[in-house]
Amino acid sequence: MNDFSTVIIGGGVSGLTCAKYLYDKGMSFLILEGSDTLGGRVRTDRVEGFRLDRGFQVLLTNYTEARKILNYNDLDLRYFDSGALIKAKKGFMKVQNPFKNKAAYFSMAFSSVGSLSDKLKIRKLAKQVADIPDEAFFSMSDTDTLTFLKEYGWSNQMINNFFRPFFGGVFLENDLSTSSNFFQFVFKQFFKGEVALPSDGIEEIPKQMSGMLPKEQIRLNAPVKYIEGNQVFLEGGEVISADRVVIATDPHTAANLLGEDTAYQYQINTCTYFSAEYSPMKNQRFIILNPDRKGVVHNICVPSDISPKYGAAGKALISVSTQGLDKIDERQHIARIKRELFEWFGAQVNVWQHLRTYHLTEALVKFQAGTEKQNLKLGENLYRCGDYLAYPSLNGAMQTGREVAEMISEI
């Protein structure tokens, strides 16, 4: 039997964050990760030389928690252009962030994405949320995002052309039923920061975090069977005794370890990757949004335009995202994507090669109006962390990991 001060079950972002803050306080810990790699959902696969993030993921550089713990220079961040392209009946409409590019005020004023009044309201909301502390958003009264947008006065044209495809892509749902508090929090992040990718893939985030920790205090391929008091029982029969136990796993695993019958509701996302001889984006590093949410293509981007390392042998990497598909026939799904994008980009789509499809049935825990932050301390020596306990984001995962570490270090 081995003895440790704190055992952290799970080596995802929240577990790594907890470990980092404990380490900085000079406190001992052991991370037990059930798989062969750290990072949880924040992973990047290598397929035929391409780097494929497991689902379309980005880093919002204004995240308070990320700025506390990550070294952005060492991540070699590469940035999207600020704004988005919106598919129109003919071509695309460009919506830029006027707070990043003063010339965007002129282009937005004459775009058909919404009325001038709609665009002025964007500026108004940005000023309102700019100085609100991140935590304060989640203590305000809320409603669903769609109701908030309507009550704020945006037109249906603006909601359907911009807010639904853009924030529907962030929330991974098309009805905008997500809490308006989370909407305002995310709105602030987009307007105050940048949208970025580490040049070598999104998994460079947990790699950097694990590199801050002693290797001997991290164990991979160490699935936990159950916990009993301060003892942790591994699948292989080993028993580890600890002063404290932190559960930093996905919601299902956490519920099983705790003996809970908690049923979480999830948003579904399907991310499909293609290789192409060249990018269809013509040197524009935007995400393209599709206002027609009945289509199979909800948004598209070219990660290799952001960082060439995502591509391979001079070829471009295309990422196509779809929300809400309960089931998927991969061949039919790929064919539908190509038919739709043929209308967007023409015959070049016919020669795109499918690389991999990620059908994520539990991409994010739903965060609807009235959702409250859950307790992180479950007992005298038992804790848990993870974004599902606060709000679904990298920032939420890091925040809960930090808060648990602070609770432990104050003992």
Side-chain angles (χ1 to χ4, degrees):
M1 183 180 293
N2 297 312
D3 296 321
F4 295 92
S5 175
T6 300
V7 168
I8 301 170
I9 304 172
V13 169
S14 64
L16 289 169
T17 302
C18 183
K20 174 63 168 60
Y21 281 103
L22 290 176
Y23 183 64
D24 289 346
K25 292 283 188 178
M27 303 185 71
S28 66
F29 66 88
L30 175 68
I31 294 178
L32 298 174
E33 167 56 41
S35 72
D36 60 356
T37 308
L38 299 168
R41 298 191 305 264
V42 188
R43 296 276 294 274
T44 305
D45 295 320
R46 272 62 169 180
V47 178
E48 298 181 22
F50 293 88
R51 298 175 193 264
L52 311 185
D53 295 333
R54 293 192 180 182
F56 177 60
Q57 303 181 57
V58 296
L59 171 64
L60 302 183
T61 62
N62 191 59
Y63 275 158
T64 304
E65 300 292 338
R67 288 189 282 117
K68 289 177 183 177
I69 200 169
L70 298 177
N71 185 319
Y72 286 177
N73 287 332
D74 288 350
L75 286 175
D76 190 21
L77 295 180
R78 304 302 172 92
Y79 302 95
F80 287 81
D81 290 336
S82 185
L85 291 179
I86 299 174
K87 182 69 180 74
K89 289 183 179 179
K90 292 184 179 180
F92 303 92
M93 297 182 290
K94 183 184 295 184
V95 178
Q96 293 178 278
N97 183 345
F99 292 85
K100 301 291 174 60
N101 179 0
K102 291 183 178 180
Y105 280 112
F106 182 83
S107 64
M108 276 194 68
F110 291 94
S111 76
S112 57
V113 69
S115 69
L116 179 59
S117 175
D118 284 325
K119 296 155 194 172
L120 291 174
K121 286 183 176 67
I122 288 183
R123 185 179 182 183
K124 177 184 175 182
L125 181 61
K127 288 184 175 181
Q128 286 179 350
V129 302
D131 297 322
I132 298 177
D134 288 353
E135 270 292 275
F137 286 107
F138 301 99
S139 61
M140 301 188 302
S141 60
D142 67 345
T143 183
D144 62 90
T145 296
L146 182 59
T147 298
F148 175 87
L149 295 174
K150 290 181 176 180
E151 291 180 348
Y152 204 86
W154 276 295
S155 68
N156 287 333
Q157 179 187 9
M158 189 69 179
I159 291 172
N160 292 326
N161 282 343
F162 175 68
F163 286 109
R164 194 182 301 276
F166 190 92
F167 286 93
V170 175
F171 304 150
L172 302 184
E173 53 100 356
N174 296 316
D175 296 330
L176 298 182
S177 61
T178 296
S179 165
S180 59
N181 287 350
F182 189 47
F183 163 74
Q184 291 178 82
F185 165 78
V186 174
F187 190 93
K188 172 187 173 181
Q189 310 310 313
F190 278 109
F191 270 87
K192 293 203 70 173
E194 306 289 344
V195 183
L197 288 172
S199 62
D200 286 325
I202 200 71
E203 75 175 8
E204 291 304 306
I205 291 174
K207 276 189 176 182
Q208 182 181 101
M209 296 172 70
S210 64
M212 303 172 186
L213 305 172
K215 293 182 179 179
E216 64 272 14
Q217 290 176 233
I218 301 173
R219 289 178 56 179
L220 302 177
N221 298 307
V224 173
K225 188 174 183 180
Y226 65 95
I227 57 176
E228 190 173 284
N230 287 17
Q231 291 186 321
V232 179
F233 294 78
L234 276 63
E235 293 285 356
E238 183 181 358
V239 181
I240 297 175
S241 180
D243 295 329
R244 290 165 293 274
V245 176
V246 177
I247 299 175
T249 66
D250 64 89
H252 282 311
T253 303
N256 288 336
L257 290 173
L258 294 169
E260 296 179 345
D261 189 23
T262 305
Y264 291 93
Q265 292 184 309
Y266 295 87
Q267 309 292 10
I268 303 171
N269 179 249
T270 303
C271 182
T272 308
Y273 287 103
F274 299 88
S275 68
E277 293 299 319
Y278 56 89
S279 170
M281 298 287 286
K282 299 179 181 179
N283 299 317
Q284 297 190 88
R285 295 175 299 173
F286 289 106
I287 299 171
I288 302 181
L289 311 174
N290 186 7
D292 179 8
R293 309 310 276 177
K294 294 180 181 179
V296 71
V297 178
H298 287 172
N299 60 66
I300 178 173
C301 79
V302 184
S304 55
D305 283 348
I306 314 304
S307 169
K309 291 183 179 181
Y310 272 82
K315 293 185 177 182
L317 176 66
I318 315 293
S319 169
V320 178
S321 292
T322 312
Q323 279 83 255
L325 294 178
D326 291 326
K327 297 180 180 179
I328 179 172
D329 181 298
E330 188 171 82
R331 292 182 63 181
Q332 293 182 5
H333 179 69
I334 294 167
R336 283 190 62 194
I337 289 174
K338 286 194 167 188
R339 282 198 302 270
E340 286 189 24
L341 292 182
F342 180 89
E343 300 298 322
W344 296 27
F345 302 121
Q348 62 171 293
V349 175
N350 292 336
V351 295
W352 289 4
Q353 297 296 312
H354 175 246
L355 292 170
R356 181 170 291 182
T357 296
Y358 294 93
H359 187 52
L360 308 172
T361 58
E362 298 179 358
L364 288 178
V365 171
K366 290 184 179 181
F367 191 82
Q368 296 178 309
T371 301
E372 296 182 355
K373 185 177 178 181
Q374 299 182 55
N375 291 330
L376 304 182
K377 185 172 183 178
L378 302 176
E380 184 178 356
N381 300 303
L382 181 62
Y383 305 81
R384 60 180 175 175
C385 54
D387 68 343
Y388 69 99
L389 301 167
Y391 50 91
S393 65
L394 189 75
N395 201 73
M398 291 179 169
Q399 177 185 318
T400 57
R402 172 183 58 79
E403 290 175 344
V404 166
E406 290 172 350
M407 291 177 191
I408 293 172
S409 62
E410 291 172 358
I411 295 175

